[in-house]
Amino acid sequence: MASKRYSTVERSNCVACGTCVTICPKEAIKVIRGCYAAVDSGICIGCNKCGKVCPTGCITLVERGETK
């Protein structure tokens, strides 16, 4: 059963530091072309560990079915 929530990244605020990549227990986050992080919502379990360690605060949780 999929989580009701997943993390999403506000790309314009992301500094591609990779902190979120290292903390993700499901390896659901990748840094794209050294520019920003992207979350695979199909893998993300909504634990928000990435959002808690993000130095810019650009990672938030959203409800599945919501668009941001």
Side-chain angles (χ1 to χ4, degrees):
M1 184 170 127
S3 169
K4 293 181 181 182
R5 300 183 302 173
Y6 67 94
S7 293
T8 186
V9 178
E10 179 61 47
R11 293 179 183 179
S12 62
N13 294 331
C14 181
V15 295
C17 67
T19 303
C20 56
V21 174
T22 61
I23 195 91
C24 181
K26 294 294 184 178
E27 298 180 0
I29 309 173
K30 305 285 185 243
V31 173
I32 308 300
R33 294 184 295 275
C35 298
Y36 58 87
V39 178
D40 183 331
S41 62
I43 298 173
C44 179
I45 59 172
C47 67
N48 199 35
K49 288 182 178 182
C50 55
K52 291 176 183 173
V53 299
C54 179
T56 65
C58 69
I59 301 175
T60 56
L61 284 175
V62 295
E63 296 294 321
R64 292 201 186 272
E66 237 182 73
T67 56
K68 183 167 180 175

